Amino acid sequence: MNSSRMFRNLKSSEKLLLCLWKTPKLCRTLLSQAYQCQEAWNKRLQSPLLQKIKPVDFFLELDHKFQTQSRVSAVDIDIFSNSITNNSQIQELEDLLYKLRMSRETTFTLDSTHHAVVRFFLETGQAEQLLDVLNDRLNYGIFCDYFCYNILMDHFIEKGKFGLAAKTASLMMLQEEYKHPISNALAIYSCHKYLENADSWQEVDPETLKDPEPKEEVKIRVHYLRNPYFDDHFDLWKPSDLTGKTLYLIGQTMYDPLGRTCQLRGLLLYRKLIDAIALLKKWKQEGVKEVVYRDVLPLIKKDVPEIFGEEASDEAKELQQLLPDSETANLHQGNLETDIENLAKTAIDTYSQEDIDKQIKIYNEWEEKRMTVLKENLAELDRQARLAKIEQIKQELAEQEQVLTFFENEDKIELTIEQKLEKEKKIFGEESEVVQNLDENYVPPEIVRKRENQ
């Protein structure tokens, strides 16, 4: 009896361990909960301005305003983006952001608008959709600051979605924003973890999104042909190119073996063999000690196996000779993955409290600025309304003056009428209705009926 019960307990324990083994592991977050500044961010909803806003009604008002005036105010979009909390309003937010971007008011977009959009998508669990908005800079014009990049990368790292974290880091690179220590450390960590499973980020070739060529030959006259142009920055779309350039540019801000390792690995991912060769020669001439991590050499061969193949190009063969992969080479012996994690932890421990204090202060400044801009807009609208009222009064006074001084200015008025009729005659011709009205024999229909009754 006891032996059978023990056997069943062992089987249950075995099943439990099997389930735990199959359950995907979630990575812990690197940033602390305090870094989110959630309490300070939620205080915005207590402001008298946002408490008066009903997002559904306000959206309808803004949409009607755009339909009638073809413009929306940047501060109105900021108020809407800061007041919404329901994920059912994502489509409305995207619609307003697009309309703002297509108008001249986009130059006045407030910094708090960008931040509110990022936090709204994150808090509603639509972080992946947020990346599409951030990547479509032309139509939406939403750009992150360092704080937003940090919480966004940390979100994806916590979920174990390193491909999306690396994509976020590449957006930071495209903005050429790599001066913040925490952002740089998280970007390197995201790219390194993503490269362990490079299939987690699949990007679509822009050429495949174009309309297919017509089967029949169609000739179209064009004024000029635009030569193909590749800017090697915003035109990048391959994950390896984006990740490589991110590692390379951030590595340039570091002056240690880890920074040199990022530069070398980034250039090879980026397929910049000539630049990699020049960089290795430069380090050799300068006599740099512990040039790169020894751990990175097998990773490089995994990243770009075609460089080390039998049919490698002359540049690839020269690169192989320069790579310090021998046992006697002066390479850094530390653990690359551990040192990258320590870099992120050190940066967070050193600068996180500074970021928190700065962000709380910025939230208060944004609220004051929103009220200031709103008052300025209301004052401008009031000024325009008063000017329109003055113009209307001036027109009414001019009409009254014309009636009162008719007999004094009769000749002048007749001359003006004749000039106007001559002008219309040239435009409409002799048989126009205006010319017919000049016929002396013309009698209005109402007068004819009165004469018949008499």
Side-chain angles (χ1 to χ4, degrees):
M1 182 71 176
N2 293 335
S3 60
S4 60
R5 183 180 300 174
M6 184 181 299
F7 179 75
R8 286 196 300 270
N9 292 337
L10 288 173
K11 293 294 289 183
S12 301
S13 301
E14 183 181 354
K15 290 180 181 180
L16 179 61
L17 290 173
L18 185 62
C19 292
L20 291 173
W21 179 77
K22 289 184 177 180
T23 303
K25 296 181 180 179
L26 293 178
C27 302
R28 72 172 183 85
T29 178
L30 295 176
L31 297 176
S32 65
Q33 192 66 28
Y35 192 89
Q36 305 293 327
C37 300
Q38 192 64 45
E39 183 178 354
W41 171 245
N42 291 338
K43 283 184 179 179
R44 78 193 189 284
L45 299 174
Q46 300 175 7
S47 67
L49 174 61
L50 296 184
Q51 285 184 344
K52 295 178 182 178
I53 299 299
K54 296 181 179 179
V56 176
D57 298 337
F58 193 48
F59 169 75
L60 296 175
E61 181 181 344
L62 294 178
D63 186 64
H64 176 73
K65 184 178 180 180
F66 182 84
Q67 296 296 334
T68 55
Q69 303 179 15
S70 298
R71 64 181 293 273
V72 287
S73 174
V75 70
D76 288 339
I77 304 302
D78 182 72
I79 293 172
F80 180 81
S81 60
N82 277 274
S83 63
I84 55 178
T85 55
N86 195 325
N87 59 1
S88 62
Q89 295 165 323
I90 288 180
Q91 187 174 355
E92 287 84 352
L93 177 61
E94 291 183 355
D95 181 60
L96 290 178
L97 291 174
Y98 176 79
K99 290 175 179 177
L100 175 64
R101 186 63 172 173
M102 295 299 109
S103 67
R104 288 180 291 182
E105 285 286 321
T106 186
T107 56
F108 304 108
T109 303
L110 301 179
D111 293 337
S112 54
T113 304
H114 303 276
H115 191 91
V117 171
V118 173
R119 297 205 68 144
F120 173 71
F121 275 88
L122 275 175
E123 291 171 2
T124 54
Q126 303 296 326
E128 296 186 29
Q129 188 175 347
L130 171 63
L131 289 184
D132 297 332
V133 173
L134 295 176
N135 200 38
D136 195 353
R137 296 169 288 275
L138 183 62
N139 289 321
Y140 295 106
I142 296 299
F143 302 93
C144 290
D145 54 11
Y146 290 120
F147 186 84
C148 288
Y149 277 128
N150 292 344
I151 61 176
L152 189 55
M153 284 188 287
D154 183 71
H155 171 80
F156 289 127
I157 291 172
E158 180 185 3
K159 300 294 183 182
K161 299 179 179 180
F162 299 112
L164 298 178
K167 188 174 183 178
T168 306
S170 69
L171 292 174
M172 186 179 73
M173 177 274 297
L174 292 176
Q175 286 183 219
E176 300 184 7
E177 300 280 359
Y178 29 80
K179 297 180 181 179
H180 195 284
I182 296 180
S183 301
N184 292 348
L186 290 177
I188 292 176
Y189 182 84
S190 300
C191 293
H192 179 78
K193 298 296 289 185
Y194 151 70
L195 290 172
E196 294 179 357
N197 180 19
D199 294 333
S200 59
W201 177 5
Q202 296 291 338
E203 193 63 68
V204 181
D205 186 350
E207 295 295 328
T208 61
L209 301 178
K210 296 182 178 179
D211 295 332
E213 294 292 334
K215 296 181 180 179
E216 298 181 0
E217 183 178 358
V218 179
K219 295 183 179 180
I220 303 175
R221 184 184 296 275
V222 294
H223 296 290
Y224 59 89
L225 292 176
R226 190 181 299 275
N227 293 327
Y229 177 74
F230 183 76
D231 69 353
D232 205 26
H233 192 70
F234 292 107
D235 291 334
L236 296 174
W237 62 271
K238 291 183 179 179
S240 58
D241 292 342
L242 291 169
T243 306
K245 191 168 186 179
T246 302
L247 287 174
Y248 172 65
L249 292 179
I250 295 179
Q252 286 184 320
T253 66
M254 305 163 62
Y255 306 97
D256 54 12
L258 181 56
R260 292 189 291 271
T261 300
C262 291
Q263 291 182 61
L264 180 61
R265 191 181 188 186
L267 285 175
L268 295 182
L269 280 167
Y270 193 22
R271 303 300 193 276
K272 298 292 183 180
L273 301 186
I274 297 177
D275 295 336
I277 292 171
L279 196 60
L280 287 171
K281 289 181 178 179
K282 176 187 174 183
W283 290 337
K284 187 175 182 180
Q285 291 174 358
E286 294 176 351
V288 177
K289 303 296 183 181
E290 297 185 345
V291 185
V292 295
Y293 276 70
R294 184 179 297 277
D295 293 353
V296 81
L297 298 176
L299 298 178
I300 288 175
K301 294 179 180 179
K302 176 186 175 183
D303 295 336
V304 282
E306 63 273 14
I307 296 179
F308 303 91
E310 297 180 356
E311 299 180 357
S313 62
D314 295 338
E315 295 173 352
K317 292 178 181 178
E318 182 180 0
L319 178 66
Q320 293 180 37
Q321 295 176 357
L322 290 171
L323 280 175
D325 59 350
S326 63
E327 293 295 333
T328 59
N330 188 4
L331 299 176
H332 190 73
Q333 301 297 326
N335 186 284
L336 178 60
E337 183 173 358
T338 302
D339 288 352
I340 290 176
E341 291 181 0
N342 291 334
L343 174 69
K345 293 177 182 177
T346 302
I348 291 171
D349 293 340
T350 306
Y351 299 99
S352 60
Q353 188 58 47
E354 180 182 340
D355 285 358
I356 293 171
D357 297 338
K358 181 180 178 181
Q359 197 60 37
I360 293 175
K361 181 180 178 182
I362 288 175
Y363 286 155
N364 296 328
E365 293 175 353
W366 281 346
E367 187 171 350
E368 295 175 0
K369 185 176 182 180
R370 184 183 303 118
M371 292 302 301
T372 301
V373 174
L374 182 60
K375 290 178 181 178
E376 291 175 353
N377 281 15
L378 293 176
E380 178 63 20
L381 291 175
D382 182 62
R383 188 183 72 87
Q384 293 177 1
R386 286 188 285 109
L387 288 175
K389 184 65 175 178
I390 291 172
E391 289 296 326
Q392 182 182 356
I393 294 173
K394 288 171 63 177
Q395 184 177 357
E396 292 176 356
L397 291 175
E399 292 175 356
Q400 292 179 9
E401 182 182 6
Q402 186 177 8
V403 172
L404 294 174
T405 61
F406 173 77
F407 294 103
E408 298 176 7
N409 302 320
E410 185 176 1
D411 295 337
K412 188 185 295 184
I413 294 173
E414 288 180 354
L415 180 60
T416 304
I417 294 174
E418 290 179 3
Q419 291 176 351
K420 183 178 180 182
L421 293 175
E422 287 295 332
K423 185 177 180 181
E424 292 179 348
K425 186 187 296 183
K426 292 179 181 179
I427 296 175
F428 298 105
E430 295 289 341
E431 299 299 328
S432 66
E433 182 181 353
V434 176
V435 176
Q436 291 179 4
N437 290 339
L438 293 177
D439 189 357
E440 296 180 356
N441 299 324
Y442 176 77
V443 180
E446 292 80 5
I447 298 176
V448 172
R449 287 196 295 271
K450 288 182 180 179
R451 287 181 178 177
E452 290 176 356
N453 293 334
Q454 292 177 356

